[in-house]
């Protein structure tokens, strides 16, 4: 994603009641933030936030937290939320590497990864959001009956993710497709992200996989 500095983005994020500057303070307490015991779903690398905002509008009985590394991108989702004021949506500006500092064991019911950065060089493989290192981090925060959904246009990243999921035995691959938009069952209720719309309009097939914590 090409990043353009957005003047005032950091300040707006710092001032917003929909963003958390010190999310570590909320570890284990996110239900209090939403004032209910509803499940919490997170999107890591939410970009401009269209996907998670649509989900939050469609499913008011679920709480959503969007996570994004860059202020200049997150600000777009935040501006929309300042208009909408959805009670079940908030954001965190952070690098997902620190995810275990933010959420307590079992605090999260679903993790969405959409069109994650591919980090094509081998030496950067650990930075991929579907690397074994990240899958192990997610295990520390996901409920035993939770799930992880990953969509991408990138065939190499998807293949890497399938192979990685095989090696991390605590995750079980429950479904996958190499052409989401032509897979009736997996595409049911699909909400397109900004990147998904862009790639599918160029005719690029979209891959999707669903993982669940394995039961031993
Ligand atoms: N999910 C959106 C979509 O599908 O339209 C955006 C996809 S964009 C290619 C990937 C986004 O993930 C970028 O906004 C990037 O800043 C964010 N990102 C990448 N690595 C991240 C990390 N470690 N922690 C948080 N956000 C990350």
């Amino acid at each position: 994603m090409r990043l353009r500095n957005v003047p005032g983005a950091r300040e707006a994020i710092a001032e917003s009641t929909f963003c958390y500057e010190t999310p570590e303070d909320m570890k284990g307490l996110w239900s209090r933030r939403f004032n209910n015991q509803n499940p919490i779903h997170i999107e890591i690398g939410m970009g401009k936030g269209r996907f998670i905002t649509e989900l939050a509008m469609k499913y008011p009985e679920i709480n959503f937290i969007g996570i994004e590394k860059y202020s200049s991108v997150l600000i777009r989702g935040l501006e929309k939320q300042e208009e909408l004021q959805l009670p079940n949506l908030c954001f965190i500006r952070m690098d997902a590497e620190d995810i275990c500092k933010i959420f307590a064991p079992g605090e999260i019911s679903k993790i969405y990864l959409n069109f994650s950065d591919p980090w094509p060089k081998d030496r950067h493989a650990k930075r991929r959001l579907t690397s074994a290192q990240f899958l192990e981090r997610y295990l520390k925060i996901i409920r035993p009956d939770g799930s992880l959904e990953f969509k991408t246009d990138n065939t190499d990243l998807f293949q890497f993710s399938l192979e990685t999921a095989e090696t991390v035995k605590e995750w079980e691959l429950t479904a996958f497709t190499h052409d989401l938009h032509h897979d009736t069952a997996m595409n049911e209720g699909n909400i397109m992200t900004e990147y998904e719309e862009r790639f599918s309009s160029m005719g690029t097939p979209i891959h999707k996989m669903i993982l669940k914590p394995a039961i031993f």
Side-chain angles (χ1 to χ4, degrees), residues 18-20 30 34 40-47 49 51-53 56 63-69 74 88-94 99 103 112:
F18 294 112
C19 274
Y20 283 86
W30 286 100
F34 294 106
I40 301 175
H41 295 187
I42 63 175
E43 184 187 9
I44 301 177
M46 61 170 249
F51 173 83
I52 197 159
T53 303
N63 299 319
F64 292 92
I65 302 175
I67 295 171
E68 170 53 51
K69 193 158 56 166
L74 193 155
N88 60 332
L89 176 63
C90 68
F91 305 114
I92 304 172
R93 189 190 59 75
M94 65 176 281
I99 199 103
F103 300 112
Y112 292 102

PDB file of all heavy atoms in Angstrom, residues 18-20 30 34 40-47 49 51-53 56 63-69 74 88-94 99 103 112:
ATOM      1  N   PHE A  18     -12.754   6.434  19.821  1.00  0.00           N
ATOM      2  CA  PHE A  18     -12.864   5.140  19.134  1.00  0.00           C
ATOM      3  C   PHE A  18     -11.496   4.475  18.935  1.00  0.00           C
ATOM      4  O   PHE A  18     -11.429   3.409  18.331  1.00  0.00           O
ATOM      5  CB  PHE A  18     -13.554   5.305  17.772  1.00  0.00           C
ATOM      6  CG  PHE A  18     -14.989   5.723  17.899  1.00  0.00           C
ATOM      7  CD1 PHE A  18     -15.403   6.969  17.495  1.00  0.00           C
ATOM      8  CD2 PHE A  18     -15.924   4.859  18.454  1.00  0.00           C
ATOM      9  CE1 PHE A  18     -16.725   7.364  17.623  1.00  0.00           C
ATOM     10  CE2 PHE A  18     -17.250   5.239  18.589  1.00  0.00           C
ATOM     11  CZ  PHE A  18     -17.650   6.495  18.177  1.00  0.00           C
ATOM     12  N   CYS A  19     -10.416   5.149  19.391  1.00  0.00           N
ATOM     13  CA  CYS A  19      -9.077   4.581  19.235  1.00  0.00           C
ATOM     14  C   CYS A  19      -8.388   4.460  20.582  1.00  0.00           C
ATOM     15  O   CYS A  19      -8.639   5.279  21.468  1.00  0.00           O
ATOM     16  CB  CYS A  19      -8.213   5.493  18.376  1.00  0.00           C
ATOM     17  SG  CYS A  19      -8.418   5.185  16.660  1.00  0.00           S
ATOM     18  N   TYR A  20      -7.506   3.484  20.671  1.00  0.00           N
ATOM     19  CA  TYR A  20      -6.787   3.287  21.936  1.00  0.00           C
ATOM     20  C   TYR A  20      -5.303   3.531  21.757  1.00  0.00           C
ATOM     21  O   TYR A  20      -4.643   2.837  21.003  1.00  0.00           O
ATOM     22  CB  TYR A  20      -7.052   1.880  22.480  1.00  0.00           C
ATOM     23  CG  TYR A  20      -8.412   1.857  23.084  1.00  0.00           C
ATOM     24  CD1 TYR A  20      -9.519   1.606  22.297  1.00  0.00           C
ATOM     25  CD2 TYR A  20      -8.608   2.211  24.410  1.00  0.00           C
ATOM     26  CE1 TYR A  20     -10.790   1.673  22.820  1.00  0.00           C
ATOM     27  CE2 TYR A  20      -9.878   2.285  24.942  1.00  0.00           C
ATOM     28  CZ  TYR A  20     -10.966   2.012  24.141  1.00  0.00           C
ATOM     29  OH  TYR A  20     -12.216   2.101  24.662  1.00  0.00           O
ATOM     30  N   TRP A  30     -11.767  -5.859  27.447  1.00  0.00           N
ATOM     31  CA  TRP A  30     -12.410  -5.291  26.267  1.00  0.00           C
ATOM     32  C   TRP A  30     -13.934  -5.346  26.345  1.00  0.00           C
ATOM     33  O   TRP A  30     -14.623  -4.472  25.823  1.00  0.00           O
ATOM     34  CB  TRP A  30     -11.884  -5.964  24.990  1.00  0.00           C
ATOM     35  CG  TRP A  30     -10.495  -5.505  24.680  1.00  0.00           C
ATOM     36  CD1 TRP A  30      -9.327  -6.173  24.957  1.00  0.00           C
ATOM     37  CD2 TRP A  30     -10.111  -4.253  24.095  1.00  0.00           C
ATOM     38  NE1 TRP A  30      -8.240  -5.416  24.570  1.00  0.00           N
ATOM     39  CE2 TRP A  30      -8.695  -4.230  24.028  1.00  0.00           C
ATOM     40  CE3 TRP A  30     -10.810  -3.148  23.613  1.00  0.00           C
ATOM     41  CZ2 TRP A  30      -7.983  -3.154  23.503  1.00  0.00           C
ATOM     42  CZ3 TRP A  30     -10.093  -2.077  23.086  1.00  0.00           C
ATOM     43  CH2 TRP A  30      -8.707  -2.086  23.038  1.00  0.00           C
ATOM     44  N   PHE A  34     -17.068  -2.326  25.600  1.00  0.00           N
ATOM     45  CA  PHE A  34     -18.302  -2.416  24.809  1.00  0.00           C
ATOM     46  C   PHE A  34     -19.542  -2.499  25.693  1.00  0.00           C
ATOM     47  O   PHE A  34     -20.665  -2.452  25.204  1.00  0.00           O
ATOM     48  CB  PHE A  34     -18.234  -3.632  23.880  1.00  0.00           C
ATOM     49  CG  PHE A  34     -17.170  -3.509  22.812  1.00  0.00           C
ATOM     50  CD1 PHE A  34     -15.995  -4.242  22.884  1.00  0.00           C
ATOM     51  CD2 PHE A  34     -17.339  -2.649  21.740  1.00  0.00           C
ATOM     52  CE1 PHE A  34     -15.019  -4.126  21.911  1.00  0.00           C
ATOM     53  CE2 PHE A  34     -16.371  -2.524  20.751  1.00  0.00           C
ATOM     54  CZ  PHE A  34     -15.209  -3.272  20.843  1.00  0.00           C
ATOM     55  N   ILE A  40     -15.991 -10.934  20.526  1.00  0.00           N
ATOM     56  CA  ILE A  40     -15.140  -9.882  19.945  1.00  0.00           C
ATOM     57  C   ILE A  40     -14.410 -10.445  18.726  1.00  0.00           C
ATOM     58  O   ILE A  40     -13.730 -11.473  18.823  1.00  0.00           O
ATOM     59  CB  ILE A  40     -14.124  -9.356  20.981  1.00  0.00           C
ATOM     60  CG1 ILE A  40     -14.864  -8.788  22.197  1.00  0.00           C
ATOM     61  CG2 ILE A  40     -13.201  -8.307  20.354  1.00  0.00           C
ATOM     62  CD1 ILE A  40     -13.951  -8.358  23.339  1.00  0.00           C
ATOM     63  N   HIS A  41     -14.566  -9.774  17.584  1.00  0.00           N
ATOM     64  CA  HIS A  41     -13.873 -10.151  16.358  1.00  0.00           C
ATOM     65  C   HIS A  41     -12.880  -9.040  16.003  1.00  0.00           C
ATOM     66  O   HIS A  41     -13.215  -7.860  16.147  1.00  0.00           O
ATOM     67  CB  HIS A  41     -14.865 -10.311  15.200  1.00  0.00           C
ATOM     68  CG  HIS A  41     -15.832 -11.435  15.383  1.00  0.00           C
ATOM     69  ND1 HIS A  41     -16.710 -11.839  14.396  1.00  0.00           N
ATOM     70  CD2 HIS A  41     -16.047 -12.280  16.435  1.00  0.00           C
ATOM     71  CE1 HIS A  41     -17.430 -12.871  14.830  1.00  0.00           C
ATOM     72  NE2 HIS A  41     -17.061 -13.150  16.076  1.00  0.00           N
ATOM     73  N   ILE A  42     -11.703  -9.432  15.540  1.00  0.00           N
ATOM     74  CA  ILE A  42     -10.704  -8.412  15.171  1.00  0.00           C
ATOM     75  C   ILE A  42     -10.278  -8.590  13.711  1.00  0.00           C
ATOM     76  O   ILE A  42     -10.259  -9.709  13.198  1.00  0.00           O
ATOM     77  CB  ILE A  42      -9.457  -8.446  16.095  1.00  0.00           C
ATOM     78  CG1 ILE A  42      -8.692  -9.778  15.984  1.00  0.00           C
ATOM     79  CG2 ILE A  42      -9.846  -8.189  17.543  1.00  0.00           C
ATOM     80  CD1 ILE A  42      -7.380  -9.802  16.791  1.00  0.00           C
ATOM     81  N   GLU A  43      -9.944  -7.473  13.082  1.00  0.00           N
ATOM     82  CA  GLU A  43      -9.299  -7.537  11.763  1.00  0.00           C
ATOM     83  C   GLU A  43      -7.910  -6.952  11.909  1.00  0.00           C
ATOM     84  O   GLU A  43      -7.759  -5.808  12.362  1.00  0.00           O
ATOM     85  CB  GLU A  43     -10.082  -6.758  10.692  1.00  0.00           C
ATOM     86  CG  GLU A  43      -9.430  -6.922   9.319  1.00  0.00           C
ATOM     87  CD  GLU A  43      -9.992  -6.066   8.191  1.00  0.00           C
ATOM     88  OE1 GLU A  43     -10.815  -5.164   8.475  1.00  0.00           O
ATOM     89  OE2 GLU A  43      -9.594  -6.273   7.042  1.00  0.00           O
ATOM     90  N   ILE A  44      -6.915  -7.730  11.505  1.00  0.00           N
ATOM     91  CA  ILE A  44      -5.531  -7.260  11.614  1.00  0.00           C
ATOM     92  C   ILE A  44      -5.081  -6.774  10.236  1.00  0.00           C
ATOM     93  O   ILE A  44      -5.134  -7.523   9.263  1.00  0.00           O
ATOM     94  CB  ILE A  44      -4.611  -8.391  12.129  1.00  0.00           C
ATOM     95  CG1 ILE A  44      -5.096  -8.871  13.494  1.00  0.00           C
ATOM     96  CG2 ILE A  44      -3.168  -7.911  12.194  1.00  0.00           C
ATOM     97  CD1 ILE A  44      -4.296 -10.033  14.059  1.00  0.00           C
ATOM     98  N   GLY A  45      -4.650  -5.501  10.184  1.00  0.00           N
ATOM     99  CA  GLY A  45      -4.300  -4.891   8.898  1.00  0.00           C
ATOM    100  C   GLY A  45      -5.565  -4.443   8.187  1.00  0.00           C
ATOM    101  O   GLY A  45      -5.798  -4.773   7.025  1.00  0.00           O
ATOM    102  N   MET A  46      -6.370  -3.662   8.888  1.00  0.00           N
ATOM    103  CA  MET A  46      -7.709  -3.287   8.376  1.00  0.00           C
ATOM    104  C   MET A  46      -7.656  -2.254   7.251  1.00  0.00           C
ATOM    105  O   MET A  46      -8.670  -2.011   6.596  1.00  0.00           O
ATOM    106  CB  MET A  46      -8.557  -2.713   9.507  1.00  0.00           C
ATOM    107  CG  MET A  46      -7.942  -1.463  10.119  1.00  0.00           C
ATOM    108  SD  MET A  46      -9.017  -0.607  11.244  1.00  0.00           S
ATOM    109  CE  MET A  46      -9.359   0.889  10.323  1.00  0.00           C
ATOM    110  N   GLY A  47      -6.472  -1.643   7.039  1.00  0.00           N
ATOM    111  CA  GLY A  47      -6.391  -0.611   6.002  1.00  0.00           C
ATOM    112  C   GLY A  47      -7.367   0.516   6.310  1.00  0.00           C
ATOM    113  O   GLY A  47      -7.447   1.000   7.441  1.00  0.00           O
ATOM    114  N   GLY A  49     -10.523   0.325   6.476  1.00  0.00           N
ATOM    115  CA  GLY A  49     -11.577  -0.111   7.397  1.00  0.00           C
ATOM    116  C   GLY A  49     -12.950  -0.380   6.820  1.00  0.00           C
ATOM    117  O   GLY A  49     -13.905  -0.563   7.564  1.00  0.00           O
ATOM    118  N   PHE A  51     -14.195  -3.033   5.334  1.00  0.00           N
ATOM    119  CA  PHE A  51     -14.687  -4.387   5.665  1.00  0.00           C
ATOM    120  C   PHE A  51     -15.220  -4.433   7.093  1.00  0.00           C
ATOM    121  O   PHE A  51     -16.360  -4.849   7.346  1.00  0.00           O
ATOM    122  CB  PHE A  51     -13.515  -5.370   5.464  1.00  0.00           C
ATOM    123  CG  PHE A  51     -13.763  -6.773   5.915  1.00  0.00           C
ATOM    124  CD1 PHE A  51     -14.423  -7.678   5.100  1.00  0.00           C
ATOM    125  CD2 PHE A  51     -13.301  -7.220   7.146  1.00  0.00           C
ATOM    126  CE1 PHE A  51     -14.628  -8.995   5.503  1.00  0.00           C
ATOM    127  CE2 PHE A  51     -13.496  -8.530   7.558  1.00  0.00           C
ATOM    128  CZ  PHE A  51     -14.171  -9.413   6.731  1.00  0.00           C
ATOM    129  N   ILE A  52     -14.413  -3.979   8.047  1.00  0.00           N
ATOM    130  CA  ILE A  52     -14.811  -4.126   9.455  1.00  0.00           C
ATOM    131  C   ILE A  52     -15.983  -3.191   9.785  1.00  0.00           C
ATOM    132  O   ILE A  52     -16.852  -3.529  10.602  1.00  0.00           O
ATOM    133  CB  ILE A  52     -13.598  -3.948  10.403  1.00  0.00           C
ATOM    134  CG1 ILE A  52     -13.945  -4.522  11.772  1.00  0.00           C
ATOM    135  CG2 ILE A  52     -13.112  -2.515  10.479  1.00  0.00           C
ATOM    136  CD1 ILE A  52     -12.754  -4.882  12.616  1.00  0.00           C
ATOM    137  N   THR A  53     -16.050  -2.063   9.120  1.00  0.00           N
ATOM    138  CA  THR A  53     -17.173  -1.142   9.350  1.00  0.00           C
ATOM    139  C   THR A  53     -18.475  -1.759   8.833  1.00  0.00           C
ATOM    140  O   THR A  53     -19.510  -1.708   9.510  1.00  0.00           O
ATOM    141  CB  THR A  53     -16.898   0.223   8.679  1.00  0.00           C
ATOM    142  OG1 THR A  53     -15.669   0.725   9.207  1.00  0.00           O
ATOM    143  CG2 THR A  53     -18.000   1.218   8.940  1.00  0.00           C
ATOM    144  N   ALA A  56     -19.533  -4.415  11.245  1.00  0.00           N
ATOM    145  CA  ALA A  56     -20.081  -3.845  12.488  1.00  0.00           C
ATOM    146  C   ALA A  56     -21.509  -3.347  12.272  1.00  0.00           C
ATOM    147  O   ALA A  56     -22.359  -3.460  13.167  1.00  0.00           O
ATOM    148  CB  ALA A  56     -19.178  -2.724  12.995  1.00  0.00           C
ATOM    149  N   ASN A  63     -18.904  -7.465  18.718  1.00  0.00           N
ATOM    150  CA  ASN A  63     -18.015  -6.314  18.883  1.00  0.00           C
ATOM    151  C   ASN A  63     -16.826  -6.470  17.933  1.00  0.00           C
ATOM    152  O   ASN A  63     -16.264  -7.571  17.828  1.00  0.00           O
ATOM    153  CB  ASN A  63     -17.504  -6.249  20.320  1.00  0.00           C
ATOM    154  CG  ASN A  63     -18.637  -6.078  21.312  1.00  0.00           C
ATOM    155  OD1 ASN A  63     -19.579  -5.312  21.065  1.00  0.00           O
ATOM    156  ND2 ASN A  63     -18.573  -6.789  22.434  1.00  0.00           N
ATOM    157  N   PHE A  64     -16.436  -5.383  17.305  1.00  0.00           N
ATOM    158  CA  PHE A  64     -15.352  -5.440  16.317  1.00  0.00           C
ATOM    159  C   PHE A  64     -14.233  -4.470  16.696  1.00  0.00           C
ATOM    160  O   PHE A  64     -14.497  -3.328  17.084  1.00  0.00           O
ATOM    161  CB  PHE A  64     -15.876  -5.072  14.925  1.00  0.00           C
ATOM    162  CG  PHE A  64     -16.821  -6.096  14.364  1.00  0.00           C
ATOM    163  CD1 PHE A  64     -18.191  -5.974  14.562  1.00  0.00           C
ATOM    164  CD2 PHE A  64     -16.344  -7.192  13.664  1.00  0.00           C
ATOM    165  CE1 PHE A  64     -19.069  -6.928  14.054  1.00  0.00           C
ATOM    166  CE2 PHE A  64     -17.219  -8.153  13.154  1.00  0.00           C
ATOM    167  CZ  PHE A  64     -18.575  -8.023  13.358  1.00  0.00           C
ATOM    168  N   ILE A  65     -12.996  -4.964  16.534  1.00  0.00           N
ATOM    169  CA  ILE A  65     -11.825  -4.109  16.761  1.00  0.00           C
ATOM    170  C   ILE A  65     -10.935  -4.204  15.515  1.00  0.00           C
ATOM    171  O   ILE A  65     -10.519  -5.297  15.118  1.00  0.00           O
ATOM    172  CB  ILE A  65     -11.028  -4.552  18.012  1.00  0.00           C
ATOM    173  CG1 ILE A  65     -11.930  -4.538  19.251  1.00  0.00           C
ATOM    174  CG2 ILE A  65      -9.815  -3.637  18.211  1.00  0.00           C
ATOM    175  CD1 ILE A  65     -11.261  -5.073  20.525  1.00  0.00           C
ATOM    176  N   GLY A  66     -10.680  -3.060  14.907  1.00  0.00           N
ATOM    177  CA  GLY A  66      -9.802  -2.999  13.734  1.00  0.00           C
ATOM    178  C   GLY A  66      -8.405  -2.600  14.164  1.00  0.00           C
ATOM    179  O   GLY A  66      -8.233  -1.648  14.927  1.00  0.00           O
ATOM    180  N   ILE A  67      -7.424  -3.333  13.650  1.00  0.00           N
ATOM    181  CA  ILE A  67      -6.021  -3.062  14.009  1.00  0.00           C
ATOM    182  C   ILE A  67      -5.266  -2.669  12.746  1.00  0.00           C
ATOM    183  O   ILE A  67      -5.369  -3.350  11.720  1.00  0.00           O
ATOM    184  CB  ILE A  67      -5.393  -4.318  14.658  1.00  0.00           C
ATOM    185  CG1 ILE A  67      -6.111  -4.592  15.979  1.00  0.00           C
ATOM    186  CG2 ILE A  67      -3.885  -4.148  14.857  1.00  0.00           C
ATOM    187  CD1 ILE A  67      -5.748  -5.918  16.614  1.00  0.00           C
ATOM    188  N   GLU A  68      -4.531  -1.571  12.833  1.00  0.00           N
ATOM    189  CA  GLU A  68      -3.797  -1.079  11.668  1.00  0.00           C
ATOM    190  C   GLU A  68      -2.517  -0.405  12.160  1.00  0.00           C
ATOM    191  O   GLU A  68      -2.526   0.320  13.149  1.00  0.00           O
ATOM    192  CB  GLU A  68      -4.683  -0.103  10.864  1.00  0.00           C
ATOM    193  CG  GLU A  68      -4.010   0.678   9.774  1.00  0.00           C
ATOM    194  CD  GLU A  68      -3.236  -0.163   8.762  1.00  0.00           C
ATOM    195  OE1 GLU A  68      -3.792  -1.138   8.218  1.00  0.00           O
ATOM    196  OE2 GLU A  68      -2.046   0.149   8.528  1.00  0.00           O
ATOM    197  N   LYS A  69      -1.443  -0.676  11.401  1.00  0.00           N
ATOM    198  CA  LYS A  69      -0.120  -0.169  11.803  1.00  0.00           C
ATOM    199  C   LYS A  69       0.022   1.330  11.535  1.00  0.00           C
ATOM    200  O   LYS A  69       0.685   2.028  12.280  1.00  0.00           O
ATOM    201  CB  LYS A  69       0.927  -0.955  11.011  1.00  0.00           C
ATOM    202  CG  LYS A  69       2.316  -0.808  11.476  1.00  0.00           C
ATOM    203  CD  LYS A  69       3.235  -1.952  11.064  1.00  0.00           C
ATOM    204  CE  LYS A  69       3.311  -2.238   9.592  1.00  0.00           C
ATOM    205  NZ  LYS A  69       4.444  -3.128   9.252  1.00  0.00           N
ATOM    206  N   LEU A  74      -5.365   4.284   8.894  1.00  0.00           N
ATOM    207  CA  LEU A  74      -6.414   4.104   9.913  1.00  0.00           C
ATOM    208  C   LEU A  74      -7.348   5.311   9.988  1.00  0.00           C
ATOM    209  O   LEU A  74      -8.548   5.172  10.206  1.00  0.00           O
ATOM    210  CB  LEU A  74      -5.742   3.869  11.268  1.00  0.00           C
ATOM    211  CG  LEU A  74      -6.624   3.364  12.396  1.00  0.00           C
ATOM    212  CD1 LEU A  74      -5.780   2.607  13.416  1.00  0.00           C
ATOM    213  CD2 LEU A  74      -7.394   4.418  13.121  1.00  0.00           C
ATOM    214  N   ASN A  88     -20.368  -0.740  18.512  1.00  0.00           N
ATOM    215  CA  ASN A  88     -19.667  -2.033  18.539  1.00  0.00           C
ATOM    216  C   ASN A  88     -18.393  -2.038  17.698  1.00  0.00           C
ATOM    217  O   ASN A  88     -17.961  -3.087  17.229  1.00  0.00           O
ATOM    218  CB  ASN A  88     -20.612  -3.148  18.051  1.00  0.00           C
ATOM    219  CG  ASN A  88     -21.094  -2.905  16.624  1.00  0.00           C
ATOM    220  OD1 ASN A  88     -21.186  -1.772  16.186  1.00  0.00           O
ATOM    221  ND2 ASN A  88     -21.391  -3.975  15.904  1.00  0.00           N
ATOM    222  N   LEU A  89     -17.795  -0.863  17.487  1.00  0.00           N
ATOM    223  CA  LEU A  89     -16.587  -0.784  16.650  1.00  0.00           C
ATOM    224  C   LEU A  89     -15.575   0.181  17.248  1.00  0.00           C
ATOM    225  O   LEU A  89     -15.917   1.320  17.580  1.00  0.00           O
ATOM    226  CB  LEU A  89     -16.963  -0.313  15.233  1.00  0.00           C
ATOM    227  CG  LEU A  89     -15.818  -0.078  14.249  1.00  0.00           C
ATOM    228  CD1 LEU A  89     -15.053  -1.371  13.962  1.00  0.00           C
ATOM    229  CD2 LEU A  89     -16.351   0.513  12.938  1.00  0.00           C
ATOM    230  N   CYS A  90     -14.329  -0.292  17.380  1.00  0.00           N
ATOM    231  CA  CYS A  90     -13.241   0.625  17.745  1.00  0.00           C
ATOM    232  C   CYS A  90     -11.954   0.166  17.067  1.00  0.00           C
ATOM    233  O   CYS A  90     -11.918  -0.887  16.415  1.00  0.00           O
ATOM    234  CB  CYS A  90     -13.094   0.752  19.258  1.00  0.00           C
ATOM    235  SG  CYS A  90     -12.518  -0.731  20.074  1.00  0.00           S
ATOM    236  N   PHE A  91     -10.907   0.962  17.219  1.00  0.00           N
ATOM    237  CA  PHE A  91      -9.668   0.726  16.471  1.00  0.00           C
ATOM    238  C   PHE A  91      -8.440   0.818  17.380  1.00  0.00           C
ATOM    239  O   PHE A  91      -8.453   1.519  18.390  1.00  0.00           O
ATOM    240  CB  PHE A  91      -9.509   1.789  15.373  1.00  0.00           C
ATOM    241  CG  PHE A  91     -10.682   1.880  14.436  1.00  0.00           C
ATOM    242  CD1 PHE A  91     -11.479   3.022  14.409  1.00  0.00           C
ATOM    243  CD2 PHE A  91     -11.002   0.835  13.586  1.00  0.00           C
ATOM    244  CE1 PHE A  91     -12.561   3.122  13.547  1.00  0.00           C
ATOM    245  CE2 PHE A  91     -12.088   0.921  12.723  1.00  0.00           C
ATOM    246  CZ  PHE A  91     -12.864   2.061  12.698  1.00  0.00           C
ATOM    247  N   ILE A  92      -7.404   0.134  16.936  1.00  0.00           N
ATOM    248  CA  ILE A  92      -6.112   0.255  17.623  1.00  0.00           C
ATOM    249  C   ILE A  92      -5.041   0.486  16.561  1.00  0.00           C
ATOM    250  O   ILE A  92      -4.979  -0.255  15.578  1.00  0.00           O
ATOM    251  CB  ILE A  92      -5.754  -1.043  18.392  1.00  0.00           C
ATOM    252  CG1 ILE A  92      -6.853  -1.432  19.370  1.00  0.00           C
ATOM    253  CG2 ILE A  92      -4.431  -0.880  19.108  1.00  0.00           C
ATOM    254  CD1 ILE A  92      -6.637  -2.811  20.011  1.00  0.00           C
ATOM    255  N   ARG A  93      -4.214   1.508  16.769  1.00  0.00           N
ATOM    256  CA  ARG A  93      -3.069   1.699  15.870  1.00  0.00           C
ATOM    257  C   ARG A  93      -1.876   1.015  16.508  1.00  0.00           C
ATOM    258  O   ARG A  93      -1.399   1.435  17.564  1.00  0.00           O
ATOM    259  CB  ARG A  93      -2.763   3.181  15.653  1.00  0.00           C
ATOM    260  CG  ARG A  93      -1.713   3.386  14.548  1.00  0.00           C
ATOM    261  CD  ARG A  93      -1.214   4.794  14.476  1.00  0.00           C
ATOM    262  NE  ARG A  93      -0.595   5.231  15.720  1.00  0.00           N
ATOM    263  CZ  ARG A  93       0.614   4.859  16.133  1.00  0.00           C
ATOM    264  NH1 ARG A  93       1.341   4.021  15.418  1.00  0.00           N
ATOM    265  NH2 ARG A  93       1.092   5.298  17.273  1.00  0.00           N
ATOM    266  N   MET A  94      -1.450  -0.068  15.923  1.00  0.00           N
ATOM    267  CA  MET A  94      -0.332  -0.830  16.496  1.00  0.00           C
ATOM    268  C   MET A  94       0.205  -1.815  15.465  1.00  0.00           C
ATOM    269  O   MET A  94      -0.460  -2.108  14.466  1.00  0.00           O
ATOM    270  CB  MET A  94      -0.801  -1.630  17.717  1.00  0.00           C
ATOM    271  CG  MET A  94      -1.806  -2.702  17.372  1.00  0.00           C
ATOM    272  SD  MET A  94      -2.277  -3.740  18.781  1.00  0.00           S
ATOM    273  CE  MET A  94      -0.872  -4.826  18.859  1.00  0.00           C
ATOM    274  N   ILE A  99       0.328  -8.284  19.609  1.00  0.00           N
ATOM    275  CA  ILE A  99      -1.082  -8.610  19.844  1.00  0.00           C
ATOM    276  C   ILE A  99      -1.328  -9.282  21.209  1.00  0.00           C
ATOM    277  O   ILE A  99      -2.350  -9.052  21.842  1.00  0.00           O
ATOM    278  CB  ILE A  99      -1.596  -9.499  18.676  1.00  0.00           C
ATOM    279  CG1 ILE A  99      -3.105  -9.476  18.625  1.00  0.00           C
ATOM    280  CG2 ILE A  99      -1.122 -10.922  18.708  1.00  0.00           C
ATOM    281  CD1 ILE A  99      -3.634  -8.631  17.563  1.00  0.00           C
ATOM    282  N   PHE A 103      -4.548  -8.458  24.195  1.00  0.00           N
ATOM    283  CA  PHE A 103      -5.712  -9.320  24.453  1.00  0.00           C
ATOM    284  C   PHE A 103      -5.314 -10.470  25.369  1.00  0.00           C
ATOM    285  O   PHE A 103      -4.217 -11.015  25.250  1.00  0.00           O
ATOM    286  CB  PHE A 103      -6.285  -9.879  23.145  1.00  0.00           C
ATOM    287  CG  PHE A 103      -6.738  -8.815  22.180  1.00  0.00           C
ATOM    288  CD1 PHE A 103      -6.077  -8.611  20.985  1.00  0.00           C
ATOM    289  CD2 PHE A 103      -7.826  -7.994  22.492  1.00  0.00           C
ATOM    290  CE1 PHE A 103      -6.478  -7.613  20.104  1.00  0.00           C
ATOM    291  CE2 PHE A 103      -8.236  -7.002  21.617  1.00  0.00           C
ATOM    292  CZ  PHE A 103      -7.565  -6.806  20.428  1.00  0.00           C
ATOM    293  N   TYR A 112      -9.765 -11.845  11.492  1.00  0.00           N
ATOM    294  CA  TYR A 112      -9.784 -11.686  10.042  1.00  0.00           C
ATOM    295  C   TYR A 112      -8.441 -11.120   9.587  1.00  0.00           C
ATOM    296  O   TYR A 112      -7.957 -10.118  10.144  1.00  0.00           O
ATOM    297  CB  TYR A 112     -10.861 -10.686   9.620  1.00  0.00           C
ATOM    298  CG  TYR A 112     -12.280 -11.136   9.831  1.00  0.00           C
ATOM    299  CD1 TYR A 112     -13.023 -10.674  10.909  1.00  0.00           C
ATOM    300  CD2 TYR A 112     -12.889 -12.010   8.929  1.00  0.00           C
ATOM    301  CE1 TYR A 112     -14.345 -11.072  11.095  1.00  0.00           C
ATOM    302  CE2 TYR A 112     -14.216 -12.415   9.113  1.00  0.00           C
ATOM    303  CZ  TYR A 112     -14.928 -11.936  10.188  1.00  0.00           C
ATOM    304  OH  TYR A 112     -16.235 -12.328  10.367  1.00  0.00           O
TER     305      TYR A 112
END
